[in-house]
Amino acid sequence: TKEQFYAIIEAKMKQMASFEVAKEVFQAFDENRRGFLKIADFEKAMELVDVKIPAHILKSCFNKINRSLTGNITLAEFTELFTNSKQI
């Protein structure tokens, strides 16, 4: 139906907007423009936004985002949090 079509389009638009926001946040965190975030980038970003998280919890969150287990968070891994509404 037309309503279902609109619902699908609306969901896709929200997903695209979430991706763009995630991409902008990622790029702000990736000050060295390497295309990935290291734990130090993640820690610095949390400090910049005045988020106080114990180091062991921050590392745990980082590791959960880093599904590829490379020690780096890629743009794809980072945006997955936003676009799929996955929880850490």
Side-chain angles (χ1 to χ4, degrees):
T1 68
K2 187 165 79 172
E3 289 77 23
Q4 289 172 320
F5 174 75
Y6 287 144
I8 291 169
I9 295 300
E10 182 180 12
K12 282 292 180 187
M13 295 291 283
K14 285 180 181 177
Q15 186 177 31
M16 288 172 54
S18 293
F19 174 81
E20 289 303 317
V21 168
K23 185 176 174 183
E24 287 179 24
V25 171
F26 180 88
Q27 289 172 337
F29 288 1
D30 183 19
E31 291 181 336
N32 296 321
R33 303 292 181 248
R34 293 179 302 229
F36 57 85
L37 302 176
K38 293 191 162 293
I39 187 74
D41 301 320
F42 206 57
E43 290 169 342
K44 185 175 181 183
M46 295 300 108
E47 287 175 18
L48 288 173
V49 295
D50 201 30
V51 173
K52 308 279 192 253
I53 300 174
H56 69 283
I57 293 174
L58 186 70
K59 185 164 177 66
S60 175
C61 291
F62 183 91
N63 290 335
K64 286 182 182 180
I65 297 168
N66 179 226
R67 295 182 190 278
S68 63
L69 305 175
T70 60
N72 303 313
I73 296 176
T74 64
L75 176 60
E77 290 169 330
F78 191 81
T79 56
E80 185 178 338
L81 290 173
F82 287 75
T83 57
N84 293 332
S85 301
K86 296 205 177 198
Q87 299 293 319
I88 296 178

